[in-house]
Amino acid sequence: AIKNETAPAAWTYSNIEHMKTQLKQLGLGVDWNREIATCKPEYYKWEQWLFTELFKKGLIYKKTATVNWDPVDGTVLANEQVIDGRGWRSGALVEKRDIPQYFMKITAYAEELLTDLDKLDGWPEQVKTMQRNWIGKSFGCEVEFPILGLSDKLQVGNLKVYTTRPDTLMGATYVAVAAEHALATLAAHNNPQLAEFIAECKRGSVAEADVATAEKKGMDTGLFVTHPLNGEQLPVWVANYVLASYGEGAVMAVPAHDERDFEFANKYNLPIKAVIKNTGTDVLPMTEHGVLFNSSQFDGLNFEESTDAISSALSVKNLGKKRTQFRLRDWGVSRQRYWGCPIPIIHCATCGEVPVPAEQLPVVLPEDVVMDGVGSPIKKDPSFYETTCPTCNGKATRETDTLDTFFESSWYFARYASFDADKMCDERANYWLPVDQYVGGIEHAILHLLYARFFNKLMRDVGLIKNDEPFTNLLTQGMVLKDGSKMSKSKGNTVDPQALIDTYGADTARLFMMFAAPPEQSLEWADSGVEGAHRFLKRLWKATFDHVELGVTTAYTHGELSTELKLLRRQLHQTIAKVADDYGRRHSFNTAISSVMELMNALAKIETTDAVSRAIRQEVLENVALLLSPIVPHICQALWAELKPNSTILDAAWPEANKAAMVQDEVEYVVQVNGKLRGNMTVAKSMEKSAIEALAVTQPFVQKHLEGVSVKKIIVVPNKLVNIVAA
RNA sequence: GCCGGGAUGGCGGAAUUGGUAGACGCACCGGACUCAAAAUCCGGCGGUUGUGAGAUCGUGGGGGUUCGAUUCCCCCUCCCGGCACCA
């Protein structure tokens, strides 16, 4: 909006109009009565209502979290907008700020989000795997290390870590904490050098990819902890590879059996103690499971046994226990940007955080604003944020943060189902939901699809809908790439289909796109090939009109057929069967189209115009129009009206393959010698396996390759292939 | 780094359950039609070799299982998506 010198609302509405025009020009069948815009108060009113309900239930809470602050633009930046530590527009060095923000307790649903994946038979396995890994349920132990030498007055308690490898506990040689950890803060109190190191860590990126690939750095805190089982004193380090947001923000380091600890220990000359061996390699770091040694009373135990024994030993000392842990974190939904749904909270000096009462919703975002590029307009607008407390009627201020846009996209499908309801959604949602077929880019495999599943469960639990999961079947489209990377609004490398529609018409544009690649595969966008799609439609058009010009006829039903016509009719019905399977089961539109092209190529070779030939031609053309109608509807309707005057293709039934027409009395066998193709033979369908073997061996092209060798074995794959093994 | 995918002719892709690699289309080459061009129609089109029939190699690289591997297993390379504030 800043770049285009317009208000975000005007910009958004004009984009919606542009996109709608294109969708209409492509001839898509959309019920525009149900159109919604998530930036309109009629829509976001309901998610504000849900927010207040969840807030009251304790499923939304506030805590401080770190954001990227651009001191020049006076705004918070998304991770994507920080490039090499600098703001993408201003180029200013980005600072970190800890500010209070609202979080959704998605972790309260972690177990259900995980187990319900098993119900989603209509989802691709890869998406379910990604979600399982993201939720990341792991089984391990929490282990406590008493801290040495700190005054009891500080009351920091023990240093707690979480580990999935309790079997390696006896090999722990140091512990490491994240820069954000309380113990790091404490140790830095009288240690300026450490304080500077911690500050440096905090300046770094918060993105996990950056943390994981950064050079490992650390600093000794000078503090020691006691190993809970062997009583050894272990040094406490601050390390940049420890994630503050996972587990306890602290790890026990076992360099002998962990890659990252190993690298770190080598760099800082920390001791490395091997305690696990298996039958494979003993080169360190050895990260596989094995049998314990160097572990006193636990020697000789395997992974499961040692996990039980060590967790028991910890329990006895009250210094640890078994625990399951999720990688999933709560979802931070506060955004400090203007363009979004206002968070419906009022801050009152007396009553604290008060959710806006339902009768006062929606909290409307003013659309008539000037974007000066510095900060959010509503944060500077007293007419927006000055209000009275709904509880005590005293002076109060509105929350000026807005919601993450994922909030909007997490439930729109439920609103489509009851688009004009005077609540978030009504009984009609239960009629329509779950969505039969959801289609979306693979880039949404985790975040959007997990949030939508989460929202579905939240809406179920406030009594709005009944289903447990929002989407029965999921088709994940591959990315459309341009110049090697994802085509997207934020990259600004999108291609407008308008030029194709203008030059060739909607049907050619549709056929070309559907023919280019299967939908689940990523595709580098290129226009080459659009000519071919256009040519095919012209050929189809001409074939139909050439046929109709000779007079109206009816499709073949019975009567004697020449071999040529019989073969064509068999191909027709095989094509009908294949297209139905490609559309319905495989979502493989490109192969459906190519099989119709093959059929049309075969039809073009038939030149006879007697009554039976014309009846077969009529049958082929009618069916081709029907099969292609979902992809090129306009042309197919026009052709249908020629083939069957006074009728419309929308009233016609979807074709069914005729089994009798597909019967074959002869089959072609591929004949191989030692797996190498040597020729083909045509065999009566009824021929016995032994006769097929005998016939194959006598073929001249087989005999040639059997000179000087003898047949060891013959493999017959029914209706396909014979392989003669000879040596 | 971790998680999930992918790699097949000059190009997009096909081969659905381990069974003819390259369907269909693009581009290109040759021919027909034309004064000429466009359009259209016909034919060719993975590499090497051979006059030819054919032979042989070939699905990112290396190994393995199998009568038979683009397909299954192990190792590796490169590319794409995601990594919690792009959505």
Side-chain angles (χ1 to χ4, degrees):
Chain A
I2 294 166
K3 198 163 95 187
N4 289 281
E5 293 178 342
T6 172
W11 174 241
T12 301
Y13 295 134
S14 86
N15 284 337
I16 289 172
E17 279 316 304
H18 181 66
M19 299 298 284
K20 263 174 81 174
T21 304
Q22 292 199 338
L23 295 176
K24 286 176 178 176
Q25 284 196 16
L26 281 165
L28 300 181
V30 172
D31 179 0
W32 292 104
N33 286 325
R34 292 169 186 270
E35 180 184 2
I36 53 178
T38 61
C39 54
K40 292 231 170 110
E42 306 91 271
Y43 179 84
Y44 65 66
K45 171 181 179 177
W46 302 113
E47 63 194 44
Q48 288 179 334
W49 170 81
L50 183 68
F51 186 101
T52 61
E53 292 299 303
L54 297 174
F55 184 83
K56 287 183 248 173
K57 286 175 84 173
L59 284 166
I60 291 179
Y61 65 96
K62 204 173 201 183
K63 70 173 181 187
T64 58
T66 311
V67 295
N68 305 303
W69 177 254
D70 184 322
V72 171
D73 278 353
T75 188
V76 168
L77 299 179
N79 288 340
E80 190 195 43
Q81 297 167 325
V82 180
I83 294 150
D84 296 328
R86 290 175 182 275
W88 68 343
R89 278 165 43 83
S90 69
L93 270 178
V94 168
E95 301 164 7
K96 289 284 153 56
R97 284 196 178 178
D98 290 322
I99 57 172
Q101 305 189 62
Y102 290 98
F103 282 78
M104 300 263 278
K105 229 183 236 179
I106 192 171
T107 50
Y109 285 76
E111 192 72 55
E112 195 192 347
L113 286 166
L114 181 66
T115 54
D116 278 3
L117 286 170
D118 297 335
K119 297 182 189 169
L120 299 175
D121 297 328
W123 280 40
E125 211 49 55
Q126 56 154 315
V127 174
K128 289 188 279 185
T129 303
M130 280 191 263
Q131 292 216 351
R132 279 189 196 102
N133 293 340
W134 183 263
I135 295 166
K137 185 177 188 178
S138 65
F139 301 90
C141 270
E142 58 181 49
V143 184
E144 295 188 35
F145 293 79
I147 302 164
L148 280 166
L150 276 183
S151 149
D152 290 343
K153 283 178 225 156
L154 287 169
Q155 294 201 335
V156 286
N158 296 333
L159 176 66
K160 197 190 272 187
V161 306
Y162 172 76
T163 179
T164 55
R165 291 298 303 272
D167 59 318
T168 64
L169 178 57
M170 302 308 276
T173 56
Y174 67 101
V175 295
V177 301
E180 294 82 356
H181 195 274
L183 199 56
T185 313
L186 188 65
H189 238 274
N190 303 313
N191 185 342
Q193 216 185 333
L194 185 61
E196 174 46 38
F197 175 70
I198 289 168
E200 184 196 325
C201 289
K202 287 183 178 174
R203 273 195 296 273
S205 168
V206 291
E208 196 189 319
D210 295 326
V211 174
T213 50
E215 188 199 343
K216 289 182 185 39
K217 282 184 190 165
M219 192 173 277
D220 195 345
T221 61
L223 297 172
F224 286 88
V225 293
T226 310
H227 190 290
L229 296 183
N230 66 17
E232 279 175 22
Q233 294 188 14
L234 307 181
V236 179
W237 283 66
V238 176
N240 66 347
Y241 71 95
V242 180
L243 294 174
S245 53
Y246 180 76
E248 299 292 337
V251 299
M252 65 177 213
V254 186
H257 305 295
D258 181 276
E259 303 262 1
R260 288 161 306 175
D261 298 344
F262 185 78
E263 191 185 330
F264 192 85
N266 278 322
K267 179 166 179 176
Y268 292 106
N269 282 317
L270 290 156
I272 297 168
K273 182 187 171 193
V275 290
I276 308 284
K277 60 187 170 192
N278 71 10
T279 47
T281 173
D282 54 359
V283 174
L284 296 181
M286 204 291 286
T287 56
E288 273 131 65
H289 289 179
V291 172
L292 276 65
F293 71 106
N294 264 343
S295 302
S296 57
Q297 73 265 39
F298 307 110
D299 284 356
L301 300 182
N302 67 21
F303 178 76
E304 285 78 18
E305 295 160 347
S306 61
T307 299
D308 289 344
I310 288 174
S311 60
S312 300
L314 289 167
S315 295
V316 167
K317 295 190 168 185
N318 211 18
L319 287 175
K321 57 176 187 244
K322 277 193 183 176
R323 172 174 126 188
T324 57
Q325 170 76 31
F326 289 94
R327 202 185 80 97
L328 184 68
R329 307 203 290 261
D330 279 339
W331 171 18
V333 294
S334 292
R335 296 294 181 271
Q336 295 69 42
R337 283 185 283 274
Y338 151 76
W339 184 238
C341 168
I343 291 176
I345 293 285
I346 291 167
H347 301 282
C348 171
T350 319
C351 311
E353 294 165 79
V354 182
V356 177
E359 62 275 13
Q360 290 180 24
L361 294 174
V363 177
V364 176
L365 181 80
E367 294 192 346
D368 183 21
V369 296
V370 177
M371 297 300 288
D372 56 9
V374 180
S376 157
I378 55 172
K379 290 187 188 294
K380 298 175 276 193
D381 179 4
S383 72
F384 176 81
Y385 63 73
E386 285 181 354
T387 186
T388 54
C389 172
T391 308
C392 72
N393 263 319
K395 275 200 161 192
T397 54
R398 286 191 192 285
E399 173 63 55
T400 55
D401 279 1
T402 52
L403 289 169
D404 180 4
T405 53
F406 271 129
F407 214 91
E408 271 90 50
S409 58
S410 294
W411 70 284
Y412 68 97
F413 44 89
R415 190 66 187 170
Y416 281 147
S418 52
F419 60 103
D420 56 1
D422 194 29
K423 51 199 279 201
M424 195 168 188
C425 57
D426 62 22
E427 264 311 302
R428 289 172 293 172
N430 281 323
Y431 169 77
W432 290 105
L433 296 177
V435 176
D436 300 289
Q437 179 68 61
Y438 198 63
V439 181
I442 185 66
E443 71 271 29
H444 295 300
I446 293 170
L447 294 180
H448 164 62
L449 286 169
L450 191 64
Y451 293 146
R453 293 182 59 221
F454 173 45
F455 250 69
N456 187 95
K457 292 176 194 301
L458 292 171
M459 289 169 74
R460 177 199 62 193
D461 291 348
V462 297
L464 286 167
I465 53 176
K466 295 197 172 78
N467 51 301
D468 291 329
E469 285 287 334
F471 314 125
T472 307
N473 293 295
L474 173 67
L475 173 71
T476 46
Q477 290 175 283
M479 231 84 48
V480 179
L481 309 175
K482 186 79 197 338
D483 306 322
S485 70
K486 175 172 81 165
M487 202 185 268
S488 73
K489 284 173 286 185
S490 60
K491 291 204 171 70
N493 61 347
T494 53
V495 169
D496 194 323
Q498 195 60 50
L500 285 185
I501 298 172
D502 291 346
T503 312
Y504 299 100
D507 279 343
T508 294
R510 292 167 62 126
L511 180 67
F512 162 63
M513 287 188 272
M514 299 307 274
F515 186 55
E520 289 178 283
Q521 189 171 313
S522 64
L523 170 75
E524 178 76 29
W525 181 265
D527 281 0
S528 65
V530 66
E531 285 286 349
H534 195 58
R535 271 203 283 265
F536 171 73
L537 292 177
K538 282 193 286 189
R539 276 201 300 274
L540 173 64
W541 184 272
K542 187 168 184 302
T544 305
F545 274 77
D546 285 352
H547 166 72
V548 168
E549 258 176 22
L550 300 176
V552 174
T553 184
T554 52
Y556 173 85
T557 50
H558 61 282
E560 200 62 25
L561 293 177
S562 65
T563 310
E564 195 182 35
L565 289 177
K566 202 172 170 183
L567 282 174
L568 176 66
R569 187 155 190 264
R570 188 207 293 161
Q571 187 177 350
L572 165 63
H573 287 277
Q574 285 170 339
T575 305
I576 292 171
K578 177 170 170 55
V579 169
D581 187 45
D582 280 353
Y583 283 175
R585 180 180 63 88
R586 296 212 302 155
H587 308 302
S588 173
F589 307 104
N590 56 330
T591 55
I593 293 165
S594 71
S595 67
V596 175
M597 286 175 168
E598 286 177 74
L599 178 64
M600 288 303 296
N601 289 346
L603 179 68
K605 294 204 162 63
I606 306 285
E607 285 169 345
T608 48
T609 55
D610 56 282
V612 177
S613 299
R614 296 206 64 233
I616 292 285
R617 192 173 283 114
Q618 176 81 15
E619 189 188 5
V620 170
L621 290 170
E622 280 180 18
N623 279 295
V624 166
L626 287 168
L627 293 177
L628 290 181
S629 62
I631 294 177
V632 286
H634 314 92
I635 280 179
C636 288
Q637 163 56 27
L639 296 178
W640 185 264
E642 294 296 325
L643 290 162
K644 291 175 81 80
N646 306 317
S647 72
T648 162
I649 200 165
L650 288 173
D651 294 330
W654 186 251
E656 292 214 19
N658 181 327
K659 294 245 158 57
M662 290 195 281
V663 169
Q664 278 175 278
D665 352 301
E666 288 186 326
V667 271
E668 184 113 319
Y669 272 81
V670 162
V671 183
Q672 300 179 332
V673 178
N674 287 331
K676 286 206 168 91
L677 174 67
R678 295 303 175 189
N680 297 59
M681 61 183 197
T682 305
V683 164
K685 181 104 192 196
S686 57
M687 193 181 266
E688 298 276 334
K689 186 173 173 248
S690 55
I692 293 170
E693 290 179 7
L695 183 65
V697 172
T698 59
Q699 300 294 317
F701 56 76
V702 169
Q703 283 295 319
K704 209 165 98 178
H705 293 277
L706 292 182
E707 278 170 35
V709 293
S710 59
V711 175
K712 299 283 179 215
K713 191 161 139 189
I714 302 181
I715 287 137
V716 178
V717 181
N719 301 324
K720 266 190 186 150
L721 163 147
V722 180
N723 187 17
I724 297 158
V725 186

